[in-house]
Amino acid sequence: MNDARTDAIANGGATDDNVDSGPIRVGAMLFTLVDPTPGFEVAYNRWYERDHFYGGVMVGPGTLSGRRWVATRALKDLRFPTEPSGHSPVTNPIDAGSFLATYFIDAASVANHFAWASEEVHKLYAAGRGFEERTHAHTVLYTMRAAHHRDVAPIPAHLALDHPYAGLASIHVDRADGVSTTDLDAWLDGDGRDVVLGGGSPVDQVLSWRPIIPDREGPMDLGSGPGGKDRSLLLCFLDQQVEEAWDHLVAFSEAIEAAGIARVALTAPFTPAIPGTDTYCDQLF
């Protein structure tokens, strides 16, 4: 790995030809995985996409983009490990969480955005714009660490939520003793690159994150916590539907553990939600 790429990783920036180091850079992400109460699937879906998606995040300062994803019952059945493990499980039980929303926040506006968001959510609930019939499985803020791209002329990280990817896989890992976030990204950009981004890979890019550990605030229970200081999150953006790419993602997860880099806490697949429709609402449970 050349010095320029090593420096980029160490600074939490791009790893491919400075494609992610321009004036627009992802600084943080809100990752919110939620279950509607059975019987309220359609009502929740319409409230979230028609109001909360915008009023709760998108209109906030520095929001670059947002996208919603779905874990159907069939996709939940692919998750592994099959039982929650470690000191801080991501989902408990393993199949908790049906709707995922991911939002990217501009690096220059992270503090302003989350200061706004912490007040705005209380204002929305006070104005009757909340939704009680839901349960958060895992709602956590993450800091962007690095981007790892498959292609020579890659899609920049800040466009990942706008590009029409066919699927997404989230891989939460707990790094091994002595393995830093920089070490994890160096492995992804070095020895692990062929495993996840080699020829014919359905993974177009992998974005790595670390959780923001401080206490969370909100008018509702936000589900599982961010994990410890050894927790990292890898978001794999897919050119193929997740069912077609799943063997590759399993092999990638196994390679992380075999290399002694980290233990996989949860690998979970998602398909894109279809805006303006209630598609998948009858397939969640």
Side-chain angles (χ1 to χ4, degrees):
M1 185 166 54
N2 63 43
D3 290 340
R5 290 165 72 85
T6 302
D7 290 343
I9 292 173
N11 292 323
T15 62
D16 288 81
D17 302 325
N18 296 319
V19 70
D20 299 309
S21 60
I24 305 300
R25 295 179 58 245
V26 181
M29 172 181 64
L30 170 59
F31 180 103
T32 176
L33 180 61
V34 176
D35 269 321
T37 300
F40 290 87
E41 295 89 344
V42 170
Y44 169 80
N45 181 58
R46 295 184 182 185
W47 164 77
Y48 197 94
E49 77 162 7
R50 301 179 188 191
D51 183 2
H52 199 64
F53 181 83
Y54 296 98
V57 184
M58 291 298 290
V59 300
T63 306
L64 293 177
S65 56
R67 193 169 187 185
R68 298 181 68 218
W69 313 84
V70 184
T72 62
R73 177 71 261 173
L75 294 183
K76 291 175 189 175
D77 289 342
L78 295 176
R79 293 180 181 178
F80 65 89
T82 56
E83 294 293 336
S85 60
H87 63 275
S88 182
V90 180
T91 57
N92 191 5
I94 194 69
D95 59 355
S98 301
F99 285 105
L100 171 65
T102 50
Y103 303 92
F104 287 176
I105 310 304
D106 180 64
S109 303
V110 171
N112 287 340
H113 177 88
F114 291 125
W116 168 87
S118 65
E119 294 184 3
E120 191 67 15
V121 66
H122 290 281
K123 292 179 182 178
L124 291 174
Y125 267 71
R129 290 173 62 185
F131 193 93
E132 298 295 338
E133 293 81 12
R134 60 171 172 159
T135 302
H136 286 251
H138 182 74
T139 295
V140 171
L141 308 177
Y142 288 86
T143 296
M144 176 77 171
R145 289 296 303 169
H148 307 272
H149 299 286
R150 180 191 62 197
D151 298 337
V152 174
I155 296 165
H158 72 273
L159 297 182
L161 297 183
D162 293 317
H163 185 76
Y165 284 115
L168 176 76
S170 64
I171 305 177
H172 285 81
V173 301
D174 291 321
R175 300 184 309 279
D177 289 345
V179 176
S180 67
T181 55
T182 299
D183 295 332
L184 172 61
D185 284 310
W187 182 82
L188 288 167
D189 208 40
D191 292 344
R193 182 175 179 82
D194 286 345
V195 178
V196 64
L197 297 168
S201 172
V203 180
D204 180 64
Q205 60 178 303
V206 179
L207 306 185
S208 73
W209 313 79
R210 60 176 175 81
I212 297 175
I213 301 296
D215 292 340
R216 300 163 297 164
E217 296 182 358
M220 77 295 287
D221 184 347
L222 297 176
S224 64
K229 294 182 179 180
D230 56 351
R231 176 66 52 84
S232 288
L233 167 62
L234 306 176
L235 286 186
C236 302
F237 290 86
L238 310 174
D239 287 338
Q240 299 176 6
Q241 294 183 352
V242 287
E243 296 91 341
E244 300 171 357
W246 198 239
D247 287 347
H248 184 89
L249 293 160
V250 170
F252 173 38
S253 299
E254 291 175 346
I256 293 173
E257 294 199 343
I261 297 294
R263 180 188 62 82
V264 174
L266 178 69
T267 298
F270 300 91
T271 195
I274 303 175
T277 77
D278 299 316
T279 305
Y280 304 120
C281 283
D282 61 347
Q283 302 176 40
L284 304 182
F285 305 111

